[in-house]
Amino acid sequence: MQVRALILRAPGINRDRDAALACELAGASPERIHINQLAEGSVRLADYGMVLIPGGFSYGDHLGAGRLLAIDLVHRLGEALYRFVEDGRPVIGICNGFQVLVKAGLLPGCLAEPDCAPAVTLTDNASEQFECRWVTLEANPGTRCSFVRDLTCPIEVPVAHGEGRIALRDEATLALLEAQGLIALRYTTAMGDQAISYPANPNGSVGHIAGLCNAQGNVLGLMPHPENAILPQQHPRWTREEARDEGDGLLLFRNAVRYAAAL
């Protein structure tokens, strides 16, 4: 049976069509659903195999805008959303959608009991400017995220954000994230260098973190936009002689759909 993918729509989100195409090319059946349809009960979250919260400017283009959608999600859909996650079904938040997952408490989750105070936040880029360009990512070898483990080589995807820097509560938090396998993706170079700086790390995120997952491995949030790297023609170095059939970003969606189909 084909996986049904729910692409969340909400005020300000503007990457839902891109995300839907990525899911379709990856073999899923995407449906763009407004949050009001879920809250009113005309659409049930439980009827879908995966959920994707696209990027954009939910509820405004300013720092903290993701918090408003997160509050809306938790208030109106909290029980259904938490059950969806507990059932092991994949949830992906991209850019502003990543902010939503963090502010909703789904990422990275509790790092150490009994202290469940927020350990991670997203804030202004270290460059103090909007960053829009292509970057290179690699999957963290120790990640729990089931649908990035197959990314064995660096991939290239674009970023487009002004507040994508991951900041941590304290120095110990980075070690906890690493030890618990919650760092899913890191910024790197085409050669896989670990010691990088700006512009390879476009926002100054600590530990060069580009994406986080939860302890169960089925919730992924990332700042870069894989949905805008699904066709080879989207890459700035593409030529008619380019032999590749698809963009690097499609690998992530294929893995997520495959993971959802196996549940």
Side-chain angles (χ1 to χ4, degrees):
M1 180 180 293
Q2 195 172 39
V3 172
R4 295 179 69 190
L6 188 153
I7 314 299
L8 187 70
R9 294 178 56 235
I13 284 179
N14 58 22
R15 297 296 182 96
D16 49 304
R17 293 184 184 275
D18 307 72
L21 178 59
C23 288
E24 181 179 350
L25 293 178
S29 176
E31 298 176 35
R32 297 164 51 244
I33 303 296
H34 197 279
I35 186 174
N36 289 345
Q37 294 175 265
L38 293 165
E40 293 163 359
S42 60
V43 176
R44 294 195 324 146
L45 199 63
D47 292 335
Y48 294 84
M50 61 185 289
V51 167
L52 199 146
I53 306 177
F57 305 106
S58 66
Y59 291 89
D61 181 13
H62 55 83
L63 186 62
R67 180 184 295 276
L68 297 178
L69 180 52
I71 292 172
D72 206 7
L73 275 176
V74 172
H75 177 67
R76 304 171 78 184
L77 304 170
E79 184 178 346
L81 181 60
Y82 294 140
R83 188 182 306 116
F84 191 94
V85 172
E86 289 173 1
D87 287 344
R89 292 185 244 189
V91 176
I92 302 174
I94 300 172
C95 198
N96 189 219
F98 182 13
Q99 295 175 343
V100 171
L101 294 177
V102 170
K103 300 304 181 184
L106 291 173
L107 288 177
C110 294
L111 297 181
E113 299 292 351
D115 181 12
C116 282
V120 175
T121 191
L122 288 143
T123 187
D124 293 318
N125 295 341
S127 64
E128 299 183 350
Q129 63 184 12
F130 186 81
E131 300 288 343
C132 184
R133 76 181 109 82
W134 286 69
V135 297
T136 304
L137 307 178
E138 65 177 357
N140 187 33
T143 182
R144 289 177 178 265
C145 186
S146 302
F147 40 92
V148 304
R149 290 177 186 162
D150 291 340
L151 302 180
T152 56
C153 298
I155 63 171
E156 290 184 279
V157 297
V159 294
H161 58 255
E163 53 270 344
R165 177 165 59 96
I166 294 176
L168 306 181
R169 179 174 56 197
D170 50 44
E171 293 182 1
T173 299
L174 181 60
L176 282 172
L177 290 172
E178 188 68 71
Q180 296 184 24
L182 306 185
I183 299 175
L185 295 161
R186 277 194 166 100
Y187 298 108
T188 184
T189 67
M191 302 302 294
D193 297 326
Q194 294 296 317
I196 67 170
S197 58
Y198 182 86
N201 179 340
N203 46 48
S205 287
V206 63
H208 311 307
I209 300 172
L212 294 171
C213 70
N214 65 340
Q216 198 171 343
N218 63 314
V219 179
L220 170 67
L222 69 161
M223 285 311 300
H225 287 273
E227 79 282 13
N228 292 130
I230 56 176
L231 303 172
Q233 293 89 343
Q234 291 173 306
H235 197 283
R237 294 197 302 272
W238 176 82
T239 67
R240 293 183 182 277
E241 290 73 35
E242 175 66 55
R244 296 170 58 188
D245 295 326
E246 61 187 36
D248 287 350
L250 193 57
L251 295 171
L252 188 149
F253 291 97
R254 288 194 191 282
N255 287 346
V257 171
R258 189 180 303 118
Y259 175 86
L263 294 176

